[in-house]
Amino acid sequence: MMNATLARQPAPHASQALHAQPSEPIALAQQLDLAFRFVAQHVVSLPEPYACCVLFFTITADQLPVTSFSVRRVTVHAAWREGATRVRQWAWANSANSVELRVDWACGIQPAASASLPARSADPSRTWAVADDELECTELLTALGKRTAHDLTSVQHLSDPVPAVTHARWQLLLEGVYIDPHGELSALPRPRMSPQHLRSGPAAPMLHRATQALITQRQTDEGSWHEAGTLLDHLGITYALLLAQSHTQHEQRKGDPAALACHRAVAYLIEQMRRWSLHDYASELLHALCLIVLVRYTTQFPGAAGSSTVSGLMTLLSQHLAAQAPGQHGDAAPWTPLALEALRQRQQQAAPDELLDAASPQRSYDGKWLHASWSQLRQIADDGGRPATLSEPWITAAVMECSLRQGQPQFASETLQAQFQSNMQTLFRACYQRIVWPEVALFQAGETRKRAAFFSPRTGNSLVSDCRVASQLLITICASINFTSKQ
C-alpha cells in the first residue's frame, strides 16, 4: 500500500513578502501628502461644545508593532501638522522606509453607554472611539473579532488610554483612510457587501490574490506543501490554487509565480500517481478529486491537454471511475458523478460538435447530499482559524464543483432547495468576516500580516497562515458566492 505522507520541507523564510507589488513603495512624505488631501476633503468639525478636530494615526511596518495615537486641535491643519510630525519621528526612530498608515477622524459624538458599546464596536461597518469629558484622552476601538469587555476600562488600548475614573465618557463615530506603502488609498469603514458585490467588487480579486500568494510562497521545491500531510490534502490545496488562478488570470504575466506553482503542483501529483497503481490508492474520493484537479488544470492551461502524460492519466482515471459499480452514497458527496461530469463539460468545451462518450453519467443529481453537507461546511467556517477534523475531507471542492455545473442541482424537493439556499447565505455571512481587509491586517505583527490570507475571529486576533485551512476557506467562500448569486 502507498505511503500517503508527503515529504516535509522547511517553509520559506518569513521575510519573503507574499503580497508582491509591481510598483516600488513611495516615500513617507508622499504617503502623508496623499492622505492629507483625502482627509482635508472629508473632515468636519464636531458640534459644540466640542468644536474641534480629533484625528487618530495608526502606523506600522514590516516586523514592527502597531503604534496608534490621537491628536485633538481646533483645526484639521493644526491636528495634521502634529500628527504627521509624530509619524515622521516614529519612522525615523524605527528606520522604516516603507510604512502602512491609517488615519481616522471623528465625524460624530454621542454619550457612551457601556452596555451597548460591544455591539457597536463589533459592527464591521462602523469604527468607534471612546473619550473623556474633554476629548483629550481617547481610545480607538477596532473590530477585530475579539469580544470587547462591557467595562470600558478593560478595552485593549491601541491609543492614548481613557482614564479609569471620569465623570462621563463619549463615543466618537469615526471615518478614515488607509494608505499602503505603494500609495493606494482605501476609504474606511468599508460598507457591507452582498455576495454579488463580493463576486465582482474590489474584495474578490483581493481575496484570490491573498490566498494565491500564500499558497505560492509556501510551496516546497518539490511542488507540495508542508501542511499537506496526505496526497488528498495536496489535491485540495492545488484545487484552491487553480481556483484563485482562474480569477486572477487577467493579471498574469510571463513567468508568473502562481502559474509556475500550478505546474509544479500538478507535476508532483503526476509523479506520485506514477509510483503506484490506482488500486493502491483505494479511495473513490482521491480518484475523483484527482480527475477534477486535472480537469481544472487543463481548463486553466489548455496547452496541458496536449501532454500525453496528463491526458493519459485523465483517461485512466475516468475509465477507472466509470467502471466502478454505482454505490449507495446516502448523504455523502457523489464524487464519481461529479468528476465525470466535470470531464464531460470539459470535453464539450473542447469539441462542442462531437458526440461524447456514452459512458458519461446522466445528469441526475439529487441535492439531498448538498443540504446534508451544510453542517460540515459551517464547521469549516466556525473553525476557520485551525484545521478541523471533517468526516468528508475537501467537501468544499465537491460543493464548488456542483456550483460550477451548468444549471442548478436537482433537489429532492423545493423545501430542501430553499433551505440549502438559506444555509448558503448564512455560510457566506460567516465566511465574509474572515476576509482580510488591509486596514484589519494593519493591526497584526509584520511577519503574521505578510504570511496570512484570512482573518479568523474564532481564534482571537490571529490570521490564518495554514495553506490547507486557507484553501478550505477560499473554496467555501467561492462556493457560497456562486450559489447565493444564482438566486
Side-chain angles (χ1 to χ4, degrees), residues 192-385:
R192 293 181 181 275
M193 289 192 292
S194 65
Q196 291 83 353
H197 289 152
L198 181 58
R199 183 187 181 94
S200 57
M206 181 280 301
L207 169 67
H208 290 95
R209 282 197 302 268
T211 313
Q212 186 182 62
L214 171 67
I215 295 175
T216 299
Q217 294 295 328
R218 295 290 291 270
Q219 190 180 42
T220 65
D221 292 339
E222 64 178 1
S224 188
W225 294 269
H226 73 279
E227 297 97 333
T230 65
L231 186 58
L232 193 60
D233 283 342
H234 174 85
L235 287 168
I237 297 173
T238 303
Y239 184 90
L241 180 62
L242 290 168
L243 181 62
Q245 185 76 359
S246 67
H247 284 80
T248 59
Q249 57 186 3
H250 64 282
E251 303 173 2
Q252 293 174 15
R253 56 192 182 278
K254 187 175 181 180
D256 179 50
L260 295 177
C262 293
H263 298 318
R264 284 197 299 266
V266 171
Y268 177 88
L269 168 65
I270 292 174
E271 179 61 27
Q272 293 299 306
M273 297 298 287
R274 275 178 171 174
R275 295 180 180 180
W276 311 97
S277 69
L278 293 183
H279 297 289
D280 291 324
Y281 291 98
S283 168
E284 176 205 1
L285 189 159
L286 191 146
H287 296 158
L289 188 54
C290 184
L291 179 58
I292 288 172
V293 165
L294 292 175
V295 167
R296 295 301 162 213
Y297 176 64
T298 55
T299 301
Q300 183 63 33
F301 303 97
S307 167
S308 58
T309 302
V310 174
S311 60
L313 181 56
M314 292 176 64
T315 300
L316 186 63
L317 286 167
S318 62
Q319 292 174 347
H320 183 78
L321 289 169
Q324 292 179 345
Q328 299 297 322
H329 293 284
D331 291 338
W335 286 98
T336 293
L338 280 175
L340 294 178
E341 174 62 16
L343 179 61
R344 189 194 71 83
Q345 290 190 14
R346 176 73 180 104
Q347 292 172 336
Q348 179 64 39
Q349 293 172 357
D353 298 327
E354 295 182 10
L355 294 176
L356 299 181
D357 188 350
S360 298
Q362 296 183 354
R363 295 182 58 195
S364 57
Y365 287 88
D366 187 340
K368 181 180 179 181
W369 74 272
L370 276 176
H371 182 68
S373 69
W374 180 80
S375 60
Q376 190 165 321
L377 293 174
R378 186 56 191 265
Q379 182 184 353
I380 293 173
D382 289 344
D383 296 332

